Amino acid sequence: EDKVVQSPLSLVVHEGDTVTLNCSYEVTNFRSLLWYKQEKKAPTFLFMLTSSGIEKKSGRLSSILDKKELFSILNITATQTGDSAIYLCAVEWGAQKLVFGQGTRLTINP
Amino acid sequence: DAEITQSPRHKITETGRQVTLACHQTWNHNNMFWYRQDLGHGLRLIHYSYGVQDTNKGEVSDGYSVSRSNTEDLPLTLESAASSQTSVYFCASSGVQHAGYYEQYFGPGTRLTVT
């Protein structure tokens, strides 16, 4: 059975800290790994990763994929209260079919 | 501006009733998806469609059905609502490439409570 596991499930840090969110997967027919941010509404797309070792960056967020060890990390540096959200990892295993992890609830305290 | 909408945003229904959740997108996307989100499970795929008259079962399709009669709409029907179907339901659509990936755009969600 295809599985995506995120850790930690919940994380509370202070503004300015750096955080690392983890995503491991066991998925047949892997095509890509995606990260989403979900605030009080719909998930919004952050990154798509298909190749090992190539870091994707967007401002203070970055992500990398290791296809040998079957995991990805999402880093957020200099966190701000606006980064508080649920971060979802998903693996595409067919034509746009996604299997999601449970999500990491990140809380940034001022 | 193009968008994806869901209605109703909140719904309370009784066990055994038939319920239909609407999803409408104005991007002219071919691909549409229904997910449910529950604590501890993330989002799980219920049904999906790659075009008009095409529908496919996802990982948690039991008790749900969809139909695709036009490009814009993919209504989700709960044939006989059960308490286990209390959840938040998200519709998504895709059809535009974003750096090699057909990015899925999610609707605002419908919170369904079955009593």
Side-chain angles (χ1 to χ4, degrees):
Chain A
E1 183 184 329
D2 293 337
K3 190 167 56 174
V4 176
V5 177
Q6 293 185 243
S7 65
L9 295 182
S10 181
L11 184 59
V12 180
V13 300
H14 290 293
E15 203 167 20
D17 289 350
T18 294
V19 298
T20 298
L21 310 183
N22 304 293
C23 175
S24 64
Y25 62 91
E26 295 176 26
V27 176
T28 53
N29 300 318
F30 173 94
R31 294 179 69 156
S32 64
L33 186 143
L34 303 103
W35 285 95
Y36 288 86
K37 179 181 182 182
Q38 184 178 25
E39 296 172 90
K40 292 182 181 176
K41 41 189 177 179
T44 54
F45 174 82
L46 292 175
F47 297 110
M48 181 196 69
L49 303 143
T50 55
S51 302
S52 278
I54 299 176
E55 186 181 51
K56 293 277 183 93
K57 289 197 74 165
S58 177
R60 297 176 292 101
L61 277 68
S62 63
S63 183
I64 197 160
L65 173 66
D66 185 328
K67 290 171 72 174
K68 183 179 176 185
E69 300 297 329
L70 308 182
F71 78 90
S72 174
I73 60 172
L74 174 69
N75 280 321
I76 309 175
T77 59
T79 52
Q80 302 170 357
T81 55
D83 295 326
S84 294
I86 296 173
Y87 290 84
L88 298 165
C89 173
V91 170
E92 183 189 12
W93 59 274
Q96 302 179 59
K97 288 178 283 202
L98 302 179
V99 56
F100 282 82
Q102 322 94 304
T104 293
R105 182 179 294 274
L106 177 64
T107 303
I108 311 295
N109 287 329
Chain B
D1 282 348
E3 60 177 355
I4 180 166
T5 57
Q6 293 183 233
S7 62
R9 295 293 312 280
H10 298 88
K11 172 83 176 175
I12 300 174
T13 192
E14 294 178 344
T15 301
R17 292 199 180 246
Q18 184 180 81
V19 176
T20 296
L21 309 183
C23 175
H24 179 79
Q25 52 97 3
T26 57
W27 278 303
N28 202 35
H29 285 166
N30 284 327
N31 311 314
M32 296 184 73
F33 308 84
W34 273 104
Y35 297 90
R36 61 178 287 176
Q37 185 173 32
D38 305 288
L39 272 175
H41 287 280
L43 278 78
R44 290 181 290 174
L45 183 63
I46 305 172
H47 281 285
Y48 57 100
S49 168
Y50 292 135
V52 177
Q53 302 301 333
D54 176 74
T55 60
N56 306 278
K57 294 181 178 181
E59 62 179 299
V60 289
S61 61
D62 287 350
Y64 303 95
S65 63
V66 293
S67 61
R68 188 89 181 271
S69 59
N70 58 51
T71 301
E72 296 79 18
D73 299 289
L74 187 70
L76 177 72
T77 297
L78 286 68
E79 292 133 15
S80 177
S83 57
S84 60
Q85 294 177 309
T86 292
S87 187
V88 179
Y89 291 85
F90 287 99
C91 180
S93 71
S94 70
V96 176
Q97 281 214 14
H98 177 97
Y101 167 71
Y102 285 92
E103 180 177 346
Q104 290 191 21
Y105 294 85
F106 286 83
T110 293
R111 184 175 294 276
L112 177 68
T113 302
V114 182
T115 61

